[in-house]
Amino acid sequence: MGGVSRRAVLGTGLVAGIGLAVGIPFAVGASGSSSTGNLVPSTAPLPPAFVRPLAVPRVLQPVRRSADTDFYEITQQRATAAILPGPPTEIWGYEGTFPGPTLVSRRGRRTVVTHTNRLPVPTVVHLHGGEVPEESDGYPTDYVHPAGMSSMDMGGMAGNVSHGSRTYTYPVDQRAATLWYHDHRMDFTGPSVWRGLAGFHLVRDDEEDALGLPSGDRELPLMIMDRSFGADGSLLYPSVDRTLTRIPGVGDGFVAGVLGDVMLVNGAPWPVATVDGATYRLRILNACNARRLSLRLDPPPPGGLVQIGSDGGLLAAPAVHDHVELAPAERFDLLVDFGGYRPGSVVRLVNDFGSDRTSEVAQFRVGPATAPPYRIPDRLSTVDPIDPAEAVTTRTMQFRSGRIGGMRGWLVNGAPFTPDTAAASVRAGSVEIWRLVTDFHHPIHLHLQPFQVLSRGIDGPGPFDAGWKDTLDLRPAEEAAIAIRFGRYPGRYVFHCHNLEHEDMAMMANVVVA
Ligand code: C2O
Ligand code: CU
Ligand code: CU
């Protein structure tokens, strides 16, 4: 079966799922106009803030190294995690942890990861921000079935199926950057990531090393997620099909996106970290399904939030912000000098796009100054601007709500995702300009290569658009232009909205590079 029958399946899901939602405007939500989505209220008592210590996911060690390659093994499995003070939570985790372990790759050394699926459903692993050949990119129908599960158990979904495990090969011929890996199965990415299938994958290189950035305990990857919990500790997610095998999508009123009311950082609710009075590197990832974040420290650090990198690695020069806005999947690499606070200061990481408890994220308790502050260089890297005059084509990509099988869903250029049609066929090596046009909030993500933002509306790039991006925070009724140099690798890749409910409800399309 191909995409047509898949869409018939999605149509069924939408009938079952959003019957009552027809005609309800999508852009409503508990958090006003800052996010597209609706809150799933926890029925568990919300845990107290600033009690649990911040934990950093462990770094996974290779099982083997050769002259030019590091080999890793990851088992995807059910596990329980102590997230709330009450009953434990069943999660789906890489190596059974939420988030998964962090992979660290070195530019120039290949990383090979064998994933074994012991979950009750098929999975797909995507390295977000990775520049990788098509067969390792985690195309949404490149399924890894758990050993013993047949395609018929899946309603006969067509795809390229591996049984039990699959090996992904990452060339790591790319700049140092904060990447992450997460599930990417067609129609079911939202519920799978919500259950815990996400982890960091850091790429390091000599250029970054030469900056002598804060490292060790002073380098904190922070994966921020909102989740909701039942009284029994379970993660609450409004899937239409609880088995996550046949009918995609979420139930009544959640078509705009699913928001949680518990803010987790690296899997712990509202954690507290004790920091030295020194400069820290905070590698922030918005791993929420649908929630946008506007983050700042309160009180603000005297030196500001110094952005040194974005999705695709180092900026050319540091940029000082008083706050940063992150749509789902965006990464910000920030330096914060906690030495600018008086020892004993208590500093909150707040989210101005949240309300009530979601307006706080974490707390830092500042210890004595231990070191002279890190001196931030004026130049960090070289980011050669893509010359728009080189573009061979300008395309318009529309991201809008629309009808699928008579019901509402999310479309790219008027069409729902199917594996068999291409929204764009591009020549390897060519530069294109894409105009991205939208109705609501849609964080637009391209696989394969990062891009540069040329404009937002009638202005230039926004304050958070600098450097190499792979996800663009497109806001309601906004239009942005990006420049893309295509084609490290030939093949079929997806681009999509990274609001995971929109993605699962078909806001995805193919670009074929030849
Ligand atoms: Cu982070 Cu195609 O996804
Ligand atoms: Cu990606
Ligand atoms: Cu969207």
Side-chain angles (χ1 to χ4, degrees):
M1 285 206 274
V4 173
S5 47
R6 180 260 187 190
R7 276 300 136 224
V9 173
L10 176 54
T12 314
L14 289 171
V15 170
I18 63 159
L20 296 175
V22 175
I24 296 176
F26 281 156
V28 296
S31 49
S33 62
S34 62
S35 292
T36 297
N38 292 85
L39 186 73
V40 177
S42 287
T43 52
L46 299 190
F50 315 140
V51 173
R52 285 279 299 275
L54 175 75
V56 170
R58 82 183 162 103
V59 173
L60 191 67
Q61 294 306 311
V63 292
R64 188 160 72 80
R65 295 174 205 267
S66 73
D68 60 357
T69 306
D70 300 322
F71 298 87
Y72 295 87
E73 288 172 4
I74 291 179
T75 302
Q76 306 169 1
Q77 61 194 66
R78 288 198 245 216
T80 53
I83 298 175
L84 303 180
T89 299
E90 184 184 302
I91 56 117
W92 290 358
Y94 297 111
E95 292 291 281
T97 65
F98 179 8
T102 298
L103 278 80
V104 179
S105 292
R106 184 96 211 155
R107 180 174 194 167
R109 282 186 66 76
R110 198 163 32 168
T111 294
V112 174
V113 189
T114 300
H115 279 268
T116 299
N117 180 3
R118 296 235 169 85
L119 293 168
V121 298
T123 58
V124 169
V125 182
H126 171 57
L127 176 58
H128 183 125
E131 299 175 30
V132 308
E134 137 179 80
E135 62 276 9
S136 289
D137 190 53
Y139 190 80
T141 54
D142 285 356
Y143 301 117
V144 185
H145 280 199
M149 175 185 265
S150 78
S151 299
M152 283 324 292
D153 299 327
M154 291 295 304
M157 292 302 300
N160 165 2
V161 175
S162 309
H163 292 279
S165 65
R166 183 180 176 108
T167 296
Y168 298 84
T169 299
Y170 305 129
V172 198
D173 178 17
Q174 61 181 100
R175 308 172 80 224
T178 306
L179 314 184
W180 60 304
Y181 62 105
H182 61 77
D183 196 62
H184 212 299
R185 177 166 59 114
M186 186 166 81
D187 298 342
F188 297 100
T189 294
S192 299
V193 172
W194 187 269
R195 282 167 166 73
L197 291 177
F200 279 107
H201 190 145
L202 309 180
V203 175
R204 303 194 186 280
D205 68 8
D206 295 344
E207 179 187 46
E208 185 189 82
D209 284 358
L211 297 176
L213 293 167
S215 61
D217 291 346
R218 300 203 177 137
E219 179 186 17
L220 298 175
L222 303 176
M223 183 183 292
I224 301 177
M225 301 166 139
D226 59 335
R227 293 293 185 266
S228 297
F229 296 88
D232 60 356
S234 60
L235 285 157
L236 298 180
Y237 187 87
S239 290
V240 172
D241 174 359
R242 299 274 151 183
T243 70
L244 307 188
T245 52
R246 287 162 192 270
I247 305 169
V250 284
D252 300 354
F254 293 100
V255 177
V258 174
L259 307 176
D261 54 12
V262 175
M263 299 305 292
L264 303 176
V265 183
N266 297 342
W270 296 289
V272 53
T274 302
V275 293
D276 298 330
T279 306
Y280 278 69
R281 179 180 188 186
L282 308 181
R283 306 172 76 131
I284 299 178
L285 160 65
N286 180 347
C288 299
N289 281 32
R291 184 182 288 281
R292 294 172 71 244
L293 302 170
S294 175
L295 302 177
R296 66 186 163 87
L297 290 172
D298 177 33
L305 304 174
V306 183
Q307 186 190 358
I308 57 166
S310 62
D311 304 339
L314 292 170
L315 304 183
V320 181
H321 302 286
D322 57 1
H323 76 289
V324 292
E325 296 178 14
L326 296 87
E330 285 192 291
R331 285 89 73 208
F332 277 77
D333 203 337
L334 302 177
L335 296 181
V336 172
D337 180 15
F338 287 105
Y341 294 102
R342 222 164 328 115
S345 297
V346 173
V347 181
R348 286 180 316 145
L349 179 63
V350 301
N351 167 29
D352 288 321
F353 285 163
S355 55
D356 303 324
R357 300 286 309 272
T358 60
S359 62
E360 297 185 312
V361 178
Q363 189 189 69
F364 296 97
R365 294 190 188 147
V366 182
T370 55
Y374 172 77
R375 227 192 48 77
I376 301 168
D378 300 333
R379 304 292 310 165
L380 299 166
S381 180
T382 316
V383 176
D384 287 327
I386 299 178
D387 180 1
E390 267 189 73
V392 295
T393 313
T394 298
R395 299 177 198 266
T396 299
M397 297 293 177
Q398 312 230 23
F399 299 86
R400 295 188 192 284
S401 57
R403 298 201 163 259
I404 306 170
M407 304 303 291
R408 294 188 82 169
W410 299 100
L411 308 175
V412 179
N413 285 350
F417 177 63
T418 80
D420 8 64
T421 55
S425 295
V426 308
R427 231 170 357 92
S430 63
V431 170
E432 297 200 354
I433 295 173
W434 285 17
R435 288 174 56 238
L436 311 175
V437 183
T438 189
D439 50 3
F440 295 124
H441 288 283
H442 297 297
I444 305 304
H445 169 52
L446 270 70
H447 286 214
L448 182 57
Q449 66 279 297
F451 53 80
Q452 293 177 358
V453 182
L454 298 174
S455 64
R456 250 182 206 278
I458 54 168
D459 294 324
F464 309 115
D465 293 334
W468 288 103
K469 296 285 297 168
D470 60 43
T471 307
L472 178 99
D473 180 19
L474 202 56
R475 294 167 302 192
E478 201 167 48
E479 176 181 327
I482 60 174
I484 318 154
R485 188 184 305 280
F486 275 103
R488 290 298 289 270
Y489 304 105
R492 177 186 59 165
Y493 292 85
V494 290
F495 63 97
H496 59 88
C497 179
H498 219 290
N499 173 314
L500 297 182
E501 285 70 46
H502 297 190
E503 176 181 343
D504 283 345
M505 290 192 280
M507 190 170 257
M508 177 149 66
N510 293 299
V511 52
V512 175
V513 183

